[in-house]
Amino acid sequence: MTEPLLQNPEKLQARLKEIPLESGVYFMRDRHDGVIYIGKSKALRNRVRSYFRSSQDLSPRIAMMVQLVHEIEFIVTDSESEALALEANLIKQYQPYYNVLLKDDKKYPYVCITWSEDYPRIFITRKRKMGGTKDKYYGPYVDVFNLKRTLGIIKRAFPLRQRPIPMFKDRPCLNYDMGLCPAVCQQLISPEDYRKTMLKVAMIFQGRSSELVETFTEKMEAAAEALEFERAADLRDRIQVLQNLNSNQKVSLPDDTVSRDAIAMAQDEQHTCIQLFQIRAGRLVGRLAFVADSQSDTPEAILQRTLEAHYQNCDPVEIPNEVHTQLELPELEILQAWLSDRKGRKVAIATPQRQLKAELIEMVERNAQYELARIQKQSDRNLQGLEDLAEILNLDSLPQRIEGYDISHIQGSDAVASQVVFIDGIPAKQHYRHYKIRNPDIQTGHSDDFASLAEVIARRFRKYSAFESLEGEGGKSDSDFPDVVMIDGGKGQLSSVMKIIDKLGLRDRLTVISLAKKREEIFLPEQSEPLVSGDPERAGVQVLRRLRDEAHRFAITFHRKKRSQRMQRSHLDQITGLGHHRQKILLEKFHSVDYIRQATVEQIAETDGIGKKLAQHIYNHFHSTNN
C-alpha cells in the first residue's frame, strides 16, 4: 500500500515538478483512489504546491485533507474560464468530501418552470431536482410571503394554465372566459405561443421586469395608434401590475441603471450562512440564501464557491454587471473572466470599502447574521433534545443517528413500511427508505403490524448479523448503523422486533425502543411498564415525537402512491392486449390514467411499444359510452 505524499517528500517533489504552470483543474486522490478534492487554478503547479508548504495557513478541514492525499492528477485547459467550468462539472460528478458543498436549506423555496414540457408549468417547490432536465429553478428565496404574492400577481397578469387536471373533457372552464387561462386543456393555444408567454414570466424572476415594462409600453402605444383599445388597455393593466410588483423594495444607490449582486456571510464554528441580494434598476428583486459547513474552507473560498455554484445555474441574461463581495475572493480574476465570457460583456467584481456600496454589503451581512442566529437557535434546541434523550435512555454518548419505523395500510391492502433517519436531530432525507411488505399472509382483509415490523427490521439489519459478520466488521463503526431505533407502537410491536434483533445477535449493539401514541409513552425491551420520564413536553421526547410523525407521514405518502398505482393499473387491466409492461410505459409517459384519457390516438401511438392499432383500441376504451 502506498503512503501519503506528505510522508514521502521525494515522491511529492517529483510529482509537483510534473505539474505545469498552465491553467487547469487538479484532483486529490486518497489511498482507495477516490477523489477527495477538486480545484482549479490559472497556474496549476503554484496552487498545488501551496497546499504542502508548512507556512501555508490552511483551514483545519483542508489540512486534514492534505494528510490523506496519495496521488495528484491534473487536466490542462486553454483558459481560466474553461478551468472554472470544468471544475464545476467535475464537482457535480464526483461530489468530493472536502470541497465546499452548499447545503440545501429546506426552509427556503425555489420557483420552478418546467421547460421540459410542451406547456411549461410554474410553481413553488422546496425540492430542487438536479440533473439533465431542461426545467429551470430560481432561488432559493428568503421572503416566502413576497414570493407567493409575486406568483399570484403573475397569474393574474399573464394567461397561464391554472389547473393540473382539466375540469371538463370537451370544453374549457371559467378561467378561459375570464382571460386567466388560454385553455391549454383544449389546446386552443399552441405550445410555441404558450412558451412565449412563459418566457415573459421568466424575465420577472431573472430581474428583468424593467425590460418587460418597456416592451409592453411600446406594444401598448402601437395598439393605441392602431385603435386596438381593448388590447392597449390589457397591456396597460399588465404594466401597472409589474410596476407595483417591487414598488416597496427600493434600494438607495447612486446609479440605478446598473444591475448588481451583493453577497455577504456570517458564520460560527459549524455553520456558514450566505445571503445574496439581487438589485436591478435600484430595486431589490431577489434575496437568496445558502448554507455551508464552516470547516469546509476559508470564508473567502466559501464565498467564491457560492458565487460559482449560483452563476452556473443562471442564464447569461441573469448575470449582473457588478458583483459586490464582503471579502476579497481568492480567485477573483478567474471568476470575473468566466462571468464576462458568459455574459458577453465585462462583469466587475469588487469589495467596496466606502460610502453607499459598503453600506449595502453591511445590510446583506446583517441579514446573514439574523439567519445564522436562527440556525444557532435550531442547533441549540436539537442539542438540548439529544442530551435529554441520552439521559432518558441512559446512553453513554449523544445519539447521532436515530431511525424511526412505521407501517401503513388499509385493512392489510398495499401494506408498506417507512424508515426515516435523523442525524444530529435533523431529518436526513437522503437516507430515508420505504419497503413493500413481502409477507404473503398480509393482504386485503388481513393485517399484521407485528409481522410487518419484524420483516422490515430483519431486512434492514441482516447485513449486521453477528453470525454473518467477520470479527471487527459491522457494528457501530459503520456510518449507517443507528445509535437508536424507534418503533411506532407499544409493547407488542417492540417484542416482535426484539425477537428478530435477538436472532441477528444485535441486542448488545442496538438500542431499540417504541413510542406509543396515546400518552407518548416510551417502552424498553423486557419492561412491562413505560419509562416514567415519558413526559410529552420533555425535549428528548419531542425529538422522538418528531421522528415518529415523520415516519408516519413518509409511510402514508408511499402507501397512497402504491394504492393509486394499483387502482390505475386495475383500470388499464380492463383493456385487452395491454400487458403490465406496456401499462408501466404508458404511466411513465402520461403520469396518470386521467392524462391517458385526454390524449389523442397520435399521442398514445408515440409511446414506445404502442402501435397505432393498440393506441386506437386504448382511445376507444376511454371514449366509449360505457366509460
Side-chain angles (χ1 to χ4, degrees):
M1 182 180 294
T2 61
E3 56 187 352
L5 291 178
L6 272 180
Q7 298 179 17
N8 191 335
E10 293 183 2
K11 181 180 178 181
L12 173 61
Q13 292 304 318
R15 188 62 180 135
L16 291 175
K17 290 179 181 179
E18 294 173 355
I19 301 175
L21 278 169
E22 299 183 54
S23 61
V25 175
Y26 55 91
F27 303 73
M28 305 286 196
R29 293 185 178 271
D30 62 10
R31 64 191 180 97
H32 301 296
D33 202 36
V35 177
I36 59 175
Y37 189 81
I38 296 175
K40 64 182 175 307
S41 178
K42 60 181 179 180
L44 283 169
R45 184 190 302 168
N46 293 344
R47 170 53 56 85
V48 175
R49 188 185 296 274
S50 68
Y51 287 101
F52 300 94
R53 290 174 183 158
S54 57
S55 60
Q56 183 72 11
D57 186 18
L58 301 174
S59 67
R61 183 182 176 92
I62 298 300
M64 174 65 72
M65 180 272 295
V66 171
Q67 298 178 29
L68 302 176
V69 175
H70 281 246
E71 186 56 80
I72 304 170
E73 297 178 4
F74 60 88
I75 298 176
V76 174
T77 59
D78 292 332
S79 66
E80 299 167 10
S81 59
E82 283 186 13
L84 189 149
L86 177 60
E87 180 206 34
N89 291 331
L90 291 172
I91 288 176
K92 286 182 182 178
Q93 177 182 348
Y94 289 102
Q95 294 284 296
Y97 179 77
Y98 286 97
N99 275 93
V100 178
L101 299 176
L102 299 177
K103 299 177 182 178
D104 185 11
D105 191 339
K106 299 298 190 300
K107 174 181 172 64
Y108 297 130
Y110 294 84
V111 169
C112 177
I113 299 180
T114 58
W115 294 111
S116 58
E117 301 177 5
D118 291 338
Y119 294 94
R121 293 173 295 127
I122 180 170
F123 55 90
I124 297 174
T125 178
R126 295 180 187 272
K127 295 181 180 179
R128 180 178 181 179
K129 298 179 181 179
M130 305 299 290
T133 177
K134 296 179 181 178
D135 298 345
K136 179 68 177 176
Y137 291 85
Y138 301 93
Y141 291 95
V142 175
D143 194 338
V144 181
F145 175 81
N146 188 60
L147 179 61
K148 292 181 178 179
R149 168 180 167 270
T150 299
L151 196 57
I153 292 174
I154 287 172
K155 288 186 175 181
R156 293 197 300 270
F158 295 90
L160 301 174
R161 180 171 63 177
Q162 302 290 326
R163 293 177 176 273
I165 298 177
M167 181 174 290
F168 308 106
K169 290 183 180 180
D170 54 353
R171 60 186 176 88
C173 64
L174 187 61
N175 285 320
Y176 174 72
D177 299 322
M178 297 172 61
L180 297 176
C181 176
V184 170
C185 60
Q186 305 302 319
Q187 297 184 344
L188 297 185
I189 182 174
S190 67
E192 294 75 18
D193 290 339
Y194 189 79
R195 292 174 78 89
K196 289 178 182 178
T197 301
M198 193 60 74
L199 283 170
K200 296 172 184 175
V201 173
M203 291 176 67
I204 297 172
F205 295 99
Q206 293 169 348
R208 302 166 61 200
S209 298
S210 57
E211 295 180 38
L212 199 53
V213 169
E214 292 176 4
T215 302
F216 282 169
T217 301
E218 292 175 1
K219 291 183 177 181
M220 179 187 67
E221 294 172 350
E225 290 180 3
L227 304 181
E228 298 176 358
F229 299 116
E230 186 174 346
R231 174 169 169 73
D234 178 61
L235 290 167
R236 178 204 60 202
D237 293 342
R238 295 190 190 186
I239 292 170
Q240 289 177 349
V241 168
L242 293 172
Q243 288 175 336
N244 294 333
L245 199 57
N246 298 310
S247 58
N248 297 323
Q249 295 189 356
K250 184 75 175 177
V251 176
S252 178
L253 286 175
D255 185 0
D256 61 3
T257 63
V258 178
S259 60
R260 295 181 173 89
D261 281 358
I263 187 169
M265 67 159 64
Q267 64 179 176
D268 58 17
E269 293 181 356
Q270 293 181 313
H271 310 102
T272 297
C273 299
I274 305 122
Q275 296 260 312
L276 189 146
F277 280 29
Q278 299 172 309
I279 300 163
R280 306 294 183 266
R283 299 184 187 278
L284 178 62
V285 300
R287 182 158 70 100
L288 312 183
F290 307 91
V291 181
D293 184 348
S294 291
Q295 298 179 359
S296 59
D297 216 321
T298 63
E300 295 83 357
I302 292 175
L303 275 186
Q304 172 101 19
R305 179 61 192 144
T306 301
L307 289 173
E308 291 171 357
H310 170 64
Y311 292 124
Q312 277 282 340
N313 298 312
C314 288
D315 293 329
V317 294
E318 300 173 48
I319 298 174
N321 297 327
E322 295 181 1
V323 179
H324 297 164
T325 64
Q326 174 191 22
L327 304 171
E328 190 77 30
L329 302 183
E331 295 171 325
L332 182 148
E333 295 178 1
I334 295 180
L335 180 59
Q336 195 166 251
W338 177 69
L339 289 177
S340 300
D341 183 61
R342 287 200 66 203
K343 187 174 179 63
R345 58 181 297 182
K346 183 178 180 181
V347 176
I349 303 177
T351 306
Q353 302 294 330
R354 60 181 66 179
Q355 298 179 345
L356 292 176
K357 294 180 180 180
E359 292 175 2
L360 173 62
I361 288 293
E362 291 176 1
M363 181 178 69
V364 180
E365 181 182 358
R366 193 160 61 250
N367 281 271
Q369 290 283 0
Y370 285 127
E371 178 62 14
L372 179 63
R374 180 191 70 84
I375 290 182
Q376 288 172 334
K377 184 177 180 180
Q378 182 183 37
S379 179
D380 292 342
R381 185 169 62 248
N382 288 333
L383 179 61
Q384 181 183 0
L386 295 176
E387 288 176 343
D388 189 47
L389 182 60
E391 181 180 343
I392 292 173
L393 302 180
N394 195 26
L395 302 176
D396 295 332
S397 59
L398 295 184
Q400 182 186 26
R401 181 183 175 111
I402 311 174
E403 295 183 0
Y405 294 84
D406 192 17
I407 304 295
S408 182
H409 58 83
I410 295 180
Q411 296 181 345
S413 67
D414 304 305
V416 298
S418 66
Q419 170 198 331
V420 300
V421 180
F422 279 17
I423 295 180
D424 295 331
I426 301 173
K429 296 190 176 182
Q430 69 273 26
H431 298 299
Y432 284 18
R433 297 290 182 270
H434 51 233
Y435 299 83
K436 296 179 182 178
I437 301 303
R438 299 171 179 170
N439 190 332
D441 296 332
I442 299 174
Q443 51 188 301
T444 303
H446 184 272
S447 62
D448 190 337
D449 288 359
F450 296 176
S452 298
L453 282 168
E455 175 191 326
V456 171
I457 294 299
R459 289 161 62 183
R460 166 67 177 94
F461 292 101
R462 186 178 295 119
K463 66 178 181 179
Y464 298 109
S465 171
F467 307 109
E468 295 180 6
S469 300
L470 296 175
E471 184 70 26
E473 296 184 355
K476 294 192 176 183
S477 61
D478 291 85
S479 60
D480 65 343
F481 193 90
D483 298 295
V484 175
V485 169
M486 187 213 70
I487 305 300
D488 182 16
K491 293 182 290 184
Q493 285 88 344
L494 183 59
S495 297
S496 65
V497 165
M498 289 310 300
K499 291 178 182 177
I500 297 299
I501 296 297
D502 287 337
K503 285 184 179 180
L504 297 176
L506 297 175
R507 178 181 282 265
D508 294 335
R509 289 191 280 166
L510 198 57
T511 300
V512 186
I513 64 172
S514 67
L515 183 66
K517 287 187 176 70
K518 281 188 177 180
R519 300 179 182 176
E520 310 294 0
E521 294 174 329
I522 302 173
F523 287 92
L524 298 177
E526 311 301 336
Q527 293 189 10
S528 59
E529 296 297 325
L531 287 177
V532 179
S533 53
D535 178 4
E537 300 306 318
R538 286 193 61 167
V541 179
Q542 289 181 4
V543 172
L544 295 179
R545 288 170 59 187
R546 291 200 305 270
L547 181 72
R548 189 265 317 280
D549 293 344
E550 181 69 353
H552 187 61
R553 179 200 65 79
F554 194 55
I556 287 179
T557 301
F558 183 50
H559 166 72
R560 287 173 177 167
K561 179 180 178 181
K562 186 182 177 186
R563 186 180 64 192
S564 175
Q565 290 173 344
R566 176 177 56 81
M567 293 174 68
Q568 287 179 345
R569 290 220 171 105
S570 66
H571 198 125
L572 295 176
D573 283 338
Q574 301 172 17
I575 305 174
T576 56
L578 190 63
H580 180 79
H581 180 65
R582 286 173 173 170
Q583 289 179 23
K584 182 179 179 181
I585 294 174
L586 273 173
L587 289 172
E588 285 178 351
K589 178 177 180 179
F590 292 98
H591 303 295
S592 73
V593 171
D594 288 328
Y595 283 124
I596 298 175
R597 181 183 289 110
Q598 298 162 26
T600 64
V601 175
E602 292 74 18
Q603 289 173 328
I604 297 174
E606 291 174 357
T607 308
D608 292 339
I610 307 291
K612 286 187 177 181
K613 185 177 179 180
L614 181 56
Q616 185 66 55
H617 184 56
I618 295 170
Y619 181 86
N620 293 340
H621 171 82
F622 285 113
H623 294 81
S624 67
T625 55
N626 295 329
N627 290 289

